[in-house]
Amino acid sequence: MTADANEKSSLKDSPQENGVQTNQYSAISPPASPVDQEQDGGFSTYFEEKVPIPNDANQAFSFRKLWAFTGPGFLMSIAYLDPGNIESDLQSGAKAGFKLLWVLLGATIIGLLLQRLAARLGVVTGMHLAEVCNRQYPTVPRIILWLMVELAIIGSDMQEVIGCAIALNLLSVGRIPLWAGVLITITDTFVFLFLDKYGLRKLEAFFGFLITVMAISFGYEYVLVKPDQGELLKGMFVPYCAGCGPVQLVQAVGIVGAVIMPHNIYLHSALVKSRDVDRKNKNDVKEANKYFFIESTIALFISFLINVFVVAVFAQAFYNKTNMDVNAECNMTGSPHTDLFPLNNATLEVDIYKGGVVLGCFFGPAALYIWAIGILAAGQSSTMTGTYSGQFVMEGFLNLRWSRFARVLLTRSIAITPTLLVAIFQDVQHLTGMNDFLNVLQSLQLPFALIPILTFTSLTSIMNDFANGLFWKISGGIVILAVCAINMYFVVVYITALNSVLLYVFAAFLSIAYLCFVIYLAWHCLIALGVSCLDFGSRVMYHTLWMKWNDNETHFNLQSF
């Protein structure tokens, strides 16, 4: 039987309402190979090259295979090291000392579990999350979902590009203004993004080099400051915050929001497609899932250590410091940035710009410049991965068939235009308020990545034998509920601090629409998790599945609406 005949047969058996076909979900069949796509229209949804996997038979573990799978996890881990995370780290150290390191550890572990789901979706289906959303959600929810994820990417990009611009400003002793730094970052990002033309492994090696630069830069600061190791270990493994108040609570919530980023789930599910895995072979798929999880664990462990370096430096050197303390030290060293710290006894407030300045005042110019190099590496690497995220999301949700350059140009323009406007009209010394707003923006978008990834990885119609078991369904649901609740608290704290009745009313209207859409996604998720009592509509038929055979491979189709 041909594929067309099977499709017609399936549609005959599918539900109708008033003579109209009611299912809006398409078949869960993976996209064609890059070679086929290039022949069809010069388009590929990912890198043209796939990394071959060595055949080490009869080995439970192979370092050669691990090396072949190494790459996507490290690119994913860069989102845990972007300038927004670095700023959250230094503020955590300055405001709470070592006391919130356990929150950072817990958030990283939760992030690893969520990245595991993203990688499994990409490996098992051959599609990334945006592509699956495109095929599984009706048109209107799909477009809303795409817009929400784009907002998250724009917010993340603004922090990353401005982080690069701040680093260039520090390295040039103020000679390169913020707007010029943004333009430089945009230009070199375009250049670096085409490194994969010289081979995917070379591109991954370049990202590895940038992570190494961050490790050396922030590791140097760590060795220079010599943090108290006992306090560090206590703060990391004792889940308690003695003497902490509302400021530390908000900071703890901010750590979770900075570490777990929505666009990174979409990114990781696409990056794993770069390995040549035979998805028709169950053992090969199982093996790929294993090695990707090991690689992600190693990558996030390294990113966690780098984050700990930053927290520990500011916890040891600047915890409980006042503006007057820093002003006096900067005066003694002849720093030109003394006016950043007013003569009062308020607790020191730092961001990535002021962080570099205070390091220079207390530990010499070398500390400032090495800090700036680390920030530049963080910003540059995360800007590049953010661009890839934008491409995958736009391609997947909108099914674009454009040339690669056109897609890069469009996705960069969408994210960069507001960044350039901010850089032109905002002073480099007063960006903390904008960063807070961007963190809130990304926190709001978190459900639009976490709920779909749990939904689709729990459906046997999509994941077959690799669908989430009962343990992962329950634990995944609890983790996602907790993360979303924590981030919503952060949003409420931010909005209530605005002290504007007009903004309160505007936020209330937006909240109604926002909650309705989140409830819609959660409803579908709960049905996928097995809460059948919610499947009360005759037009919601997750339990009605049919199979079609095509090219000797079984593809399952999911019906709804």
Side-chain angles (χ1 to χ4, degrees):
M1 185 181 289
T2 64
D4 290 340
N6 273 301
E7 186 70 24
K8 291 176 181 177
S9 175
S10 297
L11 290 177
K12 286 178 183 177
D13 294 334
S14 60
Q16 297 186 12
E17 185 170 306
N18 297 327
V20 179
Q21 187 69 31
T22 59
N23 79 293
Q24 296 184 19
Y25 284 100
S26 60
I28 305 297
S29 54
S33 67
V35 174
D36 295 336
Q37 288 172 332
E38 287 171 8
Q39 291 173 350
D40 291 341
F43 169 81
S44 65
T45 58
Y46 195 45
F47 303 106
E48 291 81 359
E49 175 189 358
K50 282 187 179 288
V51 176
I53 307 301
N55 185 17
D56 293 342
N58 302 321
Q59 289 189 21
F61 180 81
S62 167
F63 281 103
R64 289 180 66 236
K65 282 191 175 180
L66 179 60
W67 177 249
F69 282 106
T70 296
F74 281 89
L75 268 68
M76 168 274 294
S77 72
I78 285 170
Y80 292 71
L81 295 168
D82 71 345
N85 271 287
I86 301 301
E87 182 161 308
S88 174
D89 292 337
L90 64 90
Q91 289 176 345
S92 171
K95 293 178 180 179
F98 300 99
K99 299 173 185 177
L100 295 179
L101 278 173
W102 63 273
V103 177
L104 177 62
L105 176 62
T108 305
I109 293 173
I110 291 173
L112 174 63
L113 299 179
L114 295 173
Q115 300 299 160
R116 172 188 178 272
L117 297 180
R120 286 172 69 87
L121 180 72
V123 171
V124 173
T125 66
M127 296 182 290
H128 55 74
L129 181 56
E131 290 174 318
V132 177
C133 289
N134 175 273
R135 296 181 180 218
Q136 296 307 304
Y137 285 123
T139 303
V140 173
R142 183 171 70 240
I143 292 174
I144 296 173
L145 197 59
W146 167 62
L147 291 174
M148 294 298 100
V149 178
E150 283 290 351
L151 278 177
I153 293 172
I154 291 172
S156 176
D157 268 349
M158 290 180 71
Q159 288 181 314
E160 293 156 0
V161 174
I162 287 175
C164 282
I166 288 173
L168 292 171
N169 183 273
L170 288 171
L171 288 170
S172 65
V173 198
R175 292 187 180 90
I176 299 178
L178 202 61
W179 62 267
V182 169
L183 291 177
I184 292 171
T185 303
I186 296 169
T187 303
D188 61 30
T189 298
F190 272 107
V191 174
F192 291 140
L193 277 173
F194 287 93
L195 281 176
D196 65 328
K197 289 294 183 183
Y198 298 97
L200 178 57
R201 297 298 268 175
K202 290 184 175 65
L203 177 69
E204 291 174 347
F206 179 68
F207 279 105
F209 167 74
L210 292 177
I211 293 174
T212 303
V213 170
M214 284 184 267
I216 293 173
S217 298
F218 300 133
Y220 168 83
E221 309 285 0
Y222 182 85
V223 172
L224 184 67
V225 174
K226 300 176 182 176
D228 186 323
Q229 301 302 308
E231 287 297 314
L232 186 149
L233 292 174
K234 179 182 175 182
M236 190 180 299
F237 296 110
V238 178
Y240 182 68
C241 189
C244 292
V247 172
Q248 288 75 23
L249 177 60
V250 172
Q251 189 60 47
V253 172
I255 291 173
V256 177
V259 168
I260 303 171
M261 304 180 73
H263 71 275
N264 211 32
I265 304 295
Y266 288 87
L267 174 67
H268 198 197
S269 66
L271 292 173
V272 296
K273 293 170 59 179
S274 61
R275 268 48 185 179
D276 190 11
V277 177
D278 181 7
R279 292 182 300 98
K280 296 178 183 179
N281 188 317
K282 182 178 177 180
N283 289 331
D284 285 0
V285 173
K286 184 177 180 180
E287 183 180 68
N289 286 332
K290 178 182 74 174
Y291 281 107
F292 275 131
F293 182 68
I294 294 171
E295 184 238 1
S296 297
T297 303
I298 296 170
L300 289 187
F301 176 72
I302 293 172
S303 73
F304 172 71
L305 288 182
I306 295 173
N307 282 314
V308 169
F309 288 162
V310 178
V311 174
V313 165
F314 283 83
Q316 183 69 34
F318 306 113
Y319 178 48
N320 282 335
K321 283 284 193 302
T322 65
N323 286 324
M324 192 171 291
D325 295 332
V326 178
N327 185 289
E329 191 69 30
C330 289
N331 259 327
M332 288 176 58
T333 56
S335 170
H337 305 290
T338 305
D339 58 334
L340 286 176
F341 311 101
L343 289 170
N344 59 44
N345 284 319
T347 304
L348 175 66
E349 293 277 350
V350 285
D351 51 31
I352 54 175
Y353 179 77
K354 291 180 182 177
V357 170
V358 295
L359 284 171
C361 290
F362 279 77
F363 301 103
L368 185 153
Y369 293 125
I370 291 173
W371 168 262
I373 290 171
I375 295 297
L376 183 62
Q380 188 62 72
S381 58
S382 56
T383 299
M384 292 168 65
T385 54
T387 301
Y388 281 126
S389 298
Q391 288 184 67
F392 297 140
V393 165
M394 188 167 287
E395 291 166 8
F397 277 108
L398 304 184
N399 198 24
L400 291 181
R401 300 284 166 179
W402 294 2
S403 70
R404 185 163 182 267
F405 178 78
R407 284 179 282 135
V408 172
L409 184 63
L410 177 62
T411 53
R412 278 293 79 194
S413 300
I414 290 175
I416 293 302
T417 302
T419 308
L420 191 57
L421 292 174
V422 169
I424 292 172
F425 296 105
Q426 187 79 350
D427 186 75
V428 69
Q429 300 173 7
H430 302 92
L431 291 172
T432 301
M434 187 203 69
N435 279 324
D436 289 342
F437 170 75
L438 293 177
N439 286 333
V440 167
L441 179 66
Q442 292 176 79
S443 295
L444 283 170
Q445 313 313 318
L446 206 52
F448 307 129
L450 303 190
I451 295 177
I453 195 64
L454 182 62
T455 300
F456 298 133
T457 54
S458 297
L459 287 168
T460 54
S461 57
I462 294 176
M463 299 293 287
N464 207 354
D465 292 339
F466 296 95
N468 294 329
L470 182 62
F471 172 78
W472 279 101
K473 287 179 180 179
I474 295 174
S475 59
I478 292 172
V479 164
I480 289 174
L481 181 63
V483 169
C484 291
I486 288 171
N487 280 274
M488 288 306 102
Y489 173 81
F490 182 62
V491 172
V492 170
V493 168
Y494 176 81
I495 292 176
T496 53
L498 296 176
N499 294 322
S500 170
V501 176
L502 184 62
L503 287 175
Y504 291 161
V505 173
F506 181 66
F509 279 110
L510 285 181
S511 297
I512 294 171
Y514 174 84
L515 289 174
C516 286
F517 188 54
V518 170
I519 290 170
Y520 170 83
L521 295 177
W523 171 48
H524 279 273
C525 184
L526 288 171
I527 294 173
L529 292 176
V531 186
S532 57
C533 62
L534 294 178
D535 191 5
F536 50 82
S538 60
R539 299 174 66 194
V540 182
M541 286 160 282
Y542 273 101
H543 60 279
T544 305
L545 301 172
W546 77 95
M547 297 184 298
K548 76 173 184 178
W549 297 84
N550 183 23
D551 297 329
N552 297 322
E553 182 175 359
T554 302
H555 298 306
F556 293 86
N557 295 272
L558 174 64
Q559 297 189 55
S560 178
F561 288 85

